[in-house]
Amino acid sequence: MRLSNAFLKTMKEVPKEAQVVSHQLMFRAGMIQKLASGIYNYLPMALRSLRKIEAIIREELEKKGCQEVLMPIVQPAELWRESGRWDYYGAELLRFKDRKDSDFCLGPTHEEVITDMVRKNLKSYKQLPWNLYQIQSKFRDEIRPRFGLMRGREFIMKDAYSFDESVEKSMENYQLMYEAYTDIFNRCGLKFKAVDAATGAIGGDKSHEFQVLAESGEDGILSCSHCDYAANEEKAAVKERQFKTDSSIFTPLEEVHTPNQKSIEEVTAFLGKKPEELIKSLVYMIDEEAVLILVPGNKEVNEAKIQAFFNANVVHLADDKTVEEITGAKTGFAGPVGLKKQIKIAADRGIQEFPNMICGANKTDYHLTGVNFERDYKVEEMGDFIHALPGEPCPVCDEGKLEEHRGIEVGQVFYLGTKYSESMSCNFLDRNGKQVPAVMGCYGIGVGRTLAAAIEQNHDEAGIVWPMAIAPYEVLVMPLQLKDEDVVNVGNTLYKWFMDLGIDVAIDDRNERAGFKFNDADLIGYPLQIIIGSKTLAEGMVEVKIRATGEKLKIKVAEIQDWVVNFKKEALK
Ligand code: ATP
Ligand code: MG
């Protein structure tokens, strides 16, 4: 590519909305252009890098036996009704009607379409395993699109779906994908962690996220200081403890007047107690069912854990009217003792820590004191329903403590089981001649987000410092004095040599000041700059600047091809 003719405009300033470095640099390096909120044009520099990431993904997936397909972005509502997701996917699903008044949506993910596609071909276990993938645009009407390609509304994703005859075989596929993802992100030059993750609305019960470690990351990760336990903050487990109960110190249950004292801080201050001595009681709607969730007063409810525990599609707080119907009191005075309408009670294990707790009395402006588990109330479910916090003991080993990091989720692998194959009848004849649903997994990589994450990890004051494997161009040839015929000729010769050698090369043949060209070259981040100046050329040499280290070397023109080829080879190792 000749920069004199490039569809490229670099920028000094950045728009205010570009809060993270990758967004700022992609904008300044002329890689992306905003069309609407969360919707971008990919300009040539960005697309070259995206295509390289895609090529790495394709190579690594094909090694594991995956096969590429391409499904439509527009998806009929019937399939989503079959899986049950049409009703609860929420506002991220962009829905519309065609001229015949049929419902459609733009695909945020493709479980429904692929399950439909596979059920039309699948007959016998002999055909399996299958792992089908595509690289394609997704649309999610994100509530807060931001950070450029990191959280867009339209974005490029690689999504893959595996179909197996058994849970064991599906786990083998999961493991293969886990390995493929590790190789993909390593080849992209990223530092990342694979962490235990919550499965959310997609269902299933085993999942890992691949998190690129970066300050600007939207996700919290907790990892052990001693062993290799690492989990998304949503999923990170609280260590199980043994609680001793000594009923001899139980005090009687007492109702106390707590007028207008609703928040935990208000109530505990009013009664001269600590927040951990109060049972926080919240009525949640778990799918259609109201459940009273109890957690220690000093802890936050973790909705992702509730969703996983109950294997629910949606989890949200009940509205005030429902709370009043169930408790007989205004919101803020719920508790497990004496509910007006008996509903299921599920408690976090931590509520057993202290005797003689406080809780709402299910009567407006009243609380109960001296509340004791088992003596005064029972629970149907006991589990881990709170957020783990940094500094707490590791849930797995006995030595470590949890440490907090920020991460950018670039990929996720899920074991889905038969959630979709069962609801959509994607069955096959198994080894015993029985019709059974296929066991599925699904696996996503955000291609644009991976690009953004690579910039978050690889940049300096001057601009992007591309890992060789995903740089839009590997080499920039920079003839400085365009009036010097020798400089121009050698520039053109090197440009041609490198192209013939299969090196991704650009030439800065613009009639601009050297300083301007250097700034641009650093901003765009070509791994190698080959600078051709009259003086060095008179000695038969060119100068090479290595972007990553800032190192400058003089190399004989006759040796430059071998040198560059070697450098690239080393960089891609
Ligand atoms: P997030 O929690 O960040 O919203 P997700 O868990 O909903 O993402 P998945 O359904 O797991 O996303 O999608 C697979 C991959 O697609 C993610 O790991 C991420 O890299 C990418 N991705 C998801 N949403 C976006 C988005 N809005 N913009 C860019 N990439 C995205
Ligand atoms: Mg995810």
Side-chain angles (χ1 to χ4, degrees), residues 233 237-239 241 243 264-265 268 274-282 284 293-303 305-306 347-354 357 383-393 402:
E233 174 281 321
V238 172
K239 194 177 188 76
R241 290 177 294 163
F243 297 101
I264 305 227
E265 293 69 33
T268 49
K274 294 195 216 88
E276 52 268 41
E277 294 175 275
L278 185 142
I279 303 170
K280 197 191 273 188
S281 313
L282 298 163
Y284 266 95
I293 302 282
L294 311 178
V295 302
N298 60 339
K299 301 287 179 183
E300 293 302 319
V301 174
N302 184 328
E303 294 182 4
K305 286 185 180 175
I306 295 176
D348 181 75
R349 294 189 296 260
I351 54 127
Q352 302 163 83
E353 180 156 14
F354 300 108
M357 301 281 278
D384 171 9
F385 299 132
I386 59 177
H387 287 274
L389 296 172
E392 289 179 356
L402 292 177

Side-chain angles (χ1 to χ4, degrees), residues 140 142 149-152 155 157 409-412 444 446 449:
R140 294 183 183 178
E142 296 271 355
L149 298 194
M150 203 98 90
R151 184 169 297 283
F155 57 95
M157 195 203 285
E409 180 203 321
V410 287
Q412 186 164 11
R449 195 182 278 182

Side-chain angles (χ1 to χ4, degrees), residues 15-59:
K16 255 214 235 86
E17 66 185 49
Q19 296 162 4
V20 296
V21 173
S22 58
H23 189 187
Q24 291 166 357
L25 286 175
M26 265 194 245
F27 180 84
R28 287 189 51 211
M31 297 178 74
I32 53 170
Q33 210 180 48
K34 185 164 120 180
L35 181 62
S37 171
I39 304 179
Y40 290 89
N41 288 317
Y42 304 105
L43 306 187
M45 286 289 177
L47 196 63
R48 290 185 70 91
S49 282
L50 289 170
R51 292 289 183 248
K52 290 190 176 183
I53 296 172
E54 291 174 10
I56 292 172
I57 293 175
R58 285 194 171 90
E59 273 179 40

Side-chain angles (χ1 to χ4, degrees), residues 12 30 46 54 89 98 126 161 177 179 186 197 206 243 252 258 281 301 317 362 370 377-378 409-410 447 551 557:
K12 277 221 170 75
E54 291 174 10
Y89 202 91
D98 70 0
K126 289 181 192 149
Y161 306 85
M177 292 305 268
E179 288 164 17
N186 273 330
K206 182 181 162 91
F243 297 101
T258 49
S281 313
V301 174
L317 279 169
N362 296 314
Y377 68 97
K378 303 231 172 334
E409 180 203 321
V410 287
V447 180
E551 217 179 326
V557 175

